[in-house]
């Protein structure tokens, strides 16, 4: 299975700051990735997918993929306390393959 | 994206008994995936369920303990058999719908006493 590594945190940032969440992977065949957010007691929800090298922006969220260095990151600008959650990274295995998540990074945004 | 109805949302069960969890999807999907999330941990894949064939289980999970049914393209069940306190977890089903990525059911919080 394709695996990813994430720092489990917790990562604490002050409100309004930029939160940077990182994910490294070992399988060079991984071409695209998903970022999911999971609030405590809830199921994961999709934030973004990224399929090509570089940056992809969606509102306050920016996903970055660097295939040469084998990492994918998620930046959250103007972090809010409502962003406090666990963020899960997973490679897209394509087709009908399941998601295999990393350990997830717990983010805490302090008001 | 697909909408998944998962039942029950929670249950408290006696050890040695079994619980069947149901997931109903509002559209036809080829594969359904079942996960376990132990307290404070990430999601661990239990098995992949394809309609009309036996489920494919991940290492550490066996059919006798977690039998899965997939009678049609919109429905699947996961049974947790002969439960022990170690089975206390959240169980989730998931499907993929093309470019919409993966959608998850709301989860079943199981407590075994």
């Amino acid at each position: 299975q394709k695996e990813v590594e994430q720092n489990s945190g917790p990562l604490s940032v002050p409100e309004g700051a930029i939160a940077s969440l990182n994910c490294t992977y070992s399988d060079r065949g991984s071409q695209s990735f998903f970022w999911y957010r999971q609030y405590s007691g809830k199921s994961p929800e999709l934030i973004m997918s990224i399929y090509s090298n570089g940056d992809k922006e969606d509102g306050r969220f920016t996903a970055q993929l660097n295939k040469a260095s084998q990492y994918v990151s998620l930046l959250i600008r103007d972090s809010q306390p409502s962003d406090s959650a666990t963020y899960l990274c997973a490679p897209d295995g394509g087709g009908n393959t399941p998601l295999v998540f990393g350990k997830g990074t717990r983010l805490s945004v302090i008001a | 994206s697909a909408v998944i109805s998962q039942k029950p949302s929670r249950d408290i069960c006696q050890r040695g008994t079994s619980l069947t969890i149901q997931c109903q999807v509002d559209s036809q999907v080829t594969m359904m995936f079942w996960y376990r999330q132990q307290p404070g941990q990430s999601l661990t894949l239990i098995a992949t369920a394809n309609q009309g064939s036996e489920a494919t289980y991940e290492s550490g999970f066996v059919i006798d303990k977690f039998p899965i049914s997939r009678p049609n393209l919109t429905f699947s069940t996961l049974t947790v058999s002969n439960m022990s306190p170690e089975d206390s977890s959240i169980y989730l089903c998931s499907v993929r719908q093309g470019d919409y990525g993966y959608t998850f059911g709301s989860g079943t919080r199981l407590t075994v006493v």
Side-chain angles (χ1 to χ4, degrees):
Chain A
Q1 287 181 351
K2 301 176 181 179
E3 296 182 353
V4 296
E5 294 287 334
Q6 292 183 261
N7 186 327
S8 60
L11 172 67
S12 294
V13 299
E15 183 176 0
I18 296 175
S20 177
L21 304 158
N22 298 309
C23 177
T24 60
Y25 61 96
S26 56
D27 183 358
R28 286 195 174 273
S30 296
Q31 297 295 312
S32 53
F33 293 83
F34 294 103
W35 279 101
Y36 278 77
R37 176 177 62 198
Q38 185 177 28
Y39 290 114
S40 179
K42 302 294 185 183
S43 55
E45 54 182 349
L46 180 65
I47 299 175
M48 292 182 71
S49 58
I50 184 164
Y51 293 94
S52 54
N53 255 345
D55 296 359
K56 178 182 178 182
E57 186 174 318
D58 184 0
R60 295 187 296 113
F61 297 94
T62 298
Q64 300 174 320
L65 176 58
N66 185 319
K67 294 184 180 181
S69 300
Q70 295 180 244
Y71 77 81
V72 56
S73 61
L74 180 70
L75 303 179
I76 307 174
R77 290 182 298 281
D78 188 23
S79 295
Q80 301 296 309
S82 58
D83 295 325
S84 298
T86 296
Y87 290 80
L88 300 158
C89 164
D92 183 359
N96 291 313
T97 59
L99 281 180
V100 178
F101 289 105
K103 291 184 177 180
T105 298
R106 187 157 56 93
L107 172 67
S108 178
V109 181
I110 310 300
Chain B
S1 61
V3 175
I4 303 175
S5 174
Q6 183 172 345
K7 300 178 186 179
S9 59
R10 61 178 63 229
D11 208 341
I12 301 174
C13 300
Q14 297 291 321
R15 67 176 67 200
T17 62
S18 298
L19 176 71
T20 295
I21 302 166
Q22 300 180 3
C23 278
Q24 177 75 51
V25 189
D26 67 347
S27 58
Q28 294 184 339
V29 293
T30 304
M31 297 291 192
M32 293 182 72
F33 310 108
W34 287 97
Y35 293 84
R36 179 176 72 181
Q37 187 169 30
Q38 295 176 302
Q41 304 296 314
S42 184
L43 284 76
T44 300
L45 181 68
I46 297 173
T48 298
N50 191 2
Q51 190 260 339
S53 62
E54 266 196 11
T56 301
Y57 289 83
E58 297 300 304
S59 176
F61 297 96
V62 295
I63 187 171
D64 290 346
K65 176 68 175 176
F66 298 101
I68 288 172
S69 77
R70 184 80 202 278
N72 57 53
L73 292 174
T74 63
F75 186 78
S76 180
T77 67
L78 169 77
T79 299
V80 186
S81 303
N82 188 25
M83 289 184 286
S84 67
E86 292 70 34
D87 295 319
S88 297
S89 292
I90 297 172
Y91 294 85
L92 300 108
C93 60
S94 175
V95 301
R96 178 170 190 165
Q97 272 204 318
D99 294 341
Y100 294 109
Y102 295 77
T103 302
F104 289 82
S106 55
T108 297
R109 182 180 295 272
L110 170 62
T111 303
V112 183
V113 297

